[in-house]
Amino acid sequence: MSETTIVALDAMGGDNAPQEIVKGAVNAIKQRKDIKVLLVGKEEILKDTLKAYEYPKEQLEIVNATEEIEMAESPVLAIRRKKDSSMSVAMKLVHDKKADAVVSAGNSGAVLVGGQILVGKIKGVERTPLAPLIPTAKGVSLLIDCGANVDARPSHLVQFAKMGSIYMEHVIGKKNPTVGIVNIGAEEEKGNALVKETFPLLKACKDINFIGSVEARDIPSGAADVIVCEAFVGNVILKLYEGVAGTLLSEVKKGMMSTLKSKIGGLLVKPALKTTLKSFDATAYGGAPMLGLKGLVVKTHGSSKATEVCNSIIQCVTFKEQAISAKIEEAIQLEKAQEETKKED
């Protein structure tokens, strides 16, 4: 049997905690024998919630945490003051090497602050981006950053491109992944100041496969494997992606039920349509890993249901097996060493 991946799950974080979080944990350990979940939160509440499920007891353990970080709380103050919150305790388990990863659907800002303070950044990493996989016509693309750094600098985006390339190659198995920067046109001279300054830096990088600018409309067709942008743009793209997908699905269902003919036609196309729509379901790919940390932190949507929680837990196995944090650290250190050599010359 494969080595067990231990995931610390923030059971009290998110709009649907703890019910959907607990259900997601149970589903994950039922699917995979090589996963153990440390369910972090208020012990009595979690014990009561677990009564509804049958599950392999040896693969799930409750870790008591007496506090919760609310969605509207100040991230910095919450991490500083609520040291026994489910999120903080889960992250400390990763820091102390008692867990391989932490998964949380809680306060996004607190996840970002906690990841950097409690888990810790890799030396040399300037900013730690959130990088979700988004479905495309060619499979998936990595959107980096989608919410962590709204005031990024060109050097940050260059690091995002490098970390994203490592992730796509080793986790997704995409050799020499293409990298594009989000822009308002294909021409190099277009874009705001950040894009214009970053473009030539990416172009000069020999360790990434940079293909130039990518317009938002081309992202769903799979224009690039790694989509680089600062967090404000990335978050808008991600939320629009989800909104359009949800609305389109709703309208298709409504259209298929509008007349007797459409209902009959709907029954005929249902199997093929279901397969196609499933491939464009973002929840199937789990949460967004926070790259550049010494350990794995995965942020799922605040509104996550059991399916997304389950998939977020399962994706931690591949991340551990491929030692992504170690590979990123190695790449950053190599880059710094090369810079020092150039200075000496």
Side-chain angles (χ1 to χ4, degrees):
M1 189 175 74
S2 301
E3 185 182 349
T4 300
T5 297
I6 302 174
V7 179
L9 181 61
D10 173 11
M12 312 308 291
D15 300 333
N16 300 306
Q19 287 78 16
E20 291 293 320
I21 309 299
V22 170
K23 185 179 178 182
V26 170
N27 290 346
I29 60 176
K30 281 184 174 181
Q31 289 182 38
R32 300 284 297 253
K33 299 289 186 185
D34 56 351
I35 292 174
K36 180 176 181 179
V37 174
L38 303 180
L39 206 56
V40 185
K42 296 180 179 178
E43 188 171 8
E44 292 307 314
I45 293 175
L46 297 181
K47 281 182 177 179
D48 188 57
T49 306
L50 279 167
K51 287 178 183 178
Y53 303 99
E54 290 290 332
Y55 59 92
K57 301 293 191 292
E58 71 278 4
Q59 287 181 249
L60 192 146
E61 177 185 334
I62 293 174
V63 177
N64 188 44
T66 59
E67 298 176 299
E68 296 176 42
I69 294 179
E70 303 294 335
M71 298 299 268
E73 282 191 73
S74 163
V76 176
L77 291 179
I79 292 297
R80 283 180 179 172
R81 294 175 181 175
K82 293 188 173 180
K83 299 187 185 300
D84 200 45
S85 67
S86 53
M87 185 187 297
S88 295
V89 172
M91 289 193 176
K92 286 174 188 172
L93 288 169
V94 174
H95 177 270
D96 295 340
K97 308 297 182 185
K98 294 178 180 178
D100 300 301
V102 56
V103 173
S104 177
N107 182 312
S108 296
V111 171
L112 299 173
V113 173
Q116 294 183 71
I117 293 175
L118 300 176
V119 177
K121 285 196 304 181
I122 291 171
K123 186 177 180 181
V125 170
E126 296 182 45
R127 295 287 181 90
T128 52
L130 281 170
L133 289 170
I134 55 175
T136 72
K138 295 179 180 178
V140 291
S141 292
L142 190 74
L143 182 65
I144 184 169
D145 180 16
C146 83
N149 304 282
V150 293
D151 296 308
R153 297 198 298 267
S155 60
H156 301 157
L157 297 192
V158 172
Q159 275 199 346
F160 295 171
K162 293 178 178 180
M163 289 191 284
S165 295
I166 291 170
Y167 186 96
M168 284 301 285
E169 181 169 349
H170 296 283
V171 174
I172 307 303
K174 185 75 176 182
K175 296 298 180 184
N176 196 29
T178 55
V179 177
I181 186 168
V182 176
N183 204 347
I184 56 172
E187 300 83 3
E188 185 173 344
E189 65 273 9
K190 284 196 172 182
N192 59 14
L194 176 62
V195 173
K196 287 179 179 177
E197 288 179 45
T198 306
F199 194 105
L201 298 178
L202 291 173
K203 198 174 178 180
C205 284
K206 295 179 180 179
D207 50 350
I208 63 170
N209 183 12
F210 183 57
I211 61 169
S213 295
V214 172
E215 294 185 74
R217 67 184 177 193
D218 297 321
I219 294 174
S221 65
D225 299 312
V226 180
I227 308 293
V228 177
C229 55
E230 52 91 18
F232 186 91
V233 172
N235 199 263
V236 169
I237 289 171
L238 185 64
K239 297 293 172 60
L240 181 61
Y241 224 90
E242 294 166 349
V244 170
T247 302
L248 184 59
L249 178 60
S250 176
E251 290 300 308
V252 168
K253 287 181 178 178
K254 191 188 298 182
M256 291 196 325
M257 298 301 291
S258 60
T259 66
L260 179 59
K261 284 185 178 180
S262 66
K263 288 178 183 179
I264 295 171
L267 287 172
L268 294 174
V269 302
K270 187 178 179 180
L273 184 62
K274 192 174 181 180
T275 301
T276 301
L277 291 174
K278 188 177 180 181
S279 69
F280 266 79
D281 180 8
T283 64
Y285 304 103
M290 193 172 170
L291 301 181
L293 295 176
K294 293 176 181 177
L296 174 60
V297 173
V298 176
K299 173 68 178 75
T300 67
H301 293 294
S303 59
S304 288
K305 295 290 187 71
T307 298
E308 188 169 359
V309 174
C310 174
N311 290 331
S312 296
I313 293 169
I314 290 172
Q315 82 178 138
C316 295
V317 176
T318 305
F319 200 101
K320 179 189 176 181
E321 288 175 347
Q322 296 298 328
I324 298 304
S325 294
K327 287 183 171 73
I328 289 174
E329 184 172 13
E330 184 181 337
I332 296 295
Q333 289 178 346
L334 179 61
E335 181 185 9
K336 294 297 179 185
Q338 290 172 342
E339 288 176 1
E340 290 298 321
T341 301
K342 286 181 181 178
K343 287 178 183 178
E344 290 174 4
D345 292 343

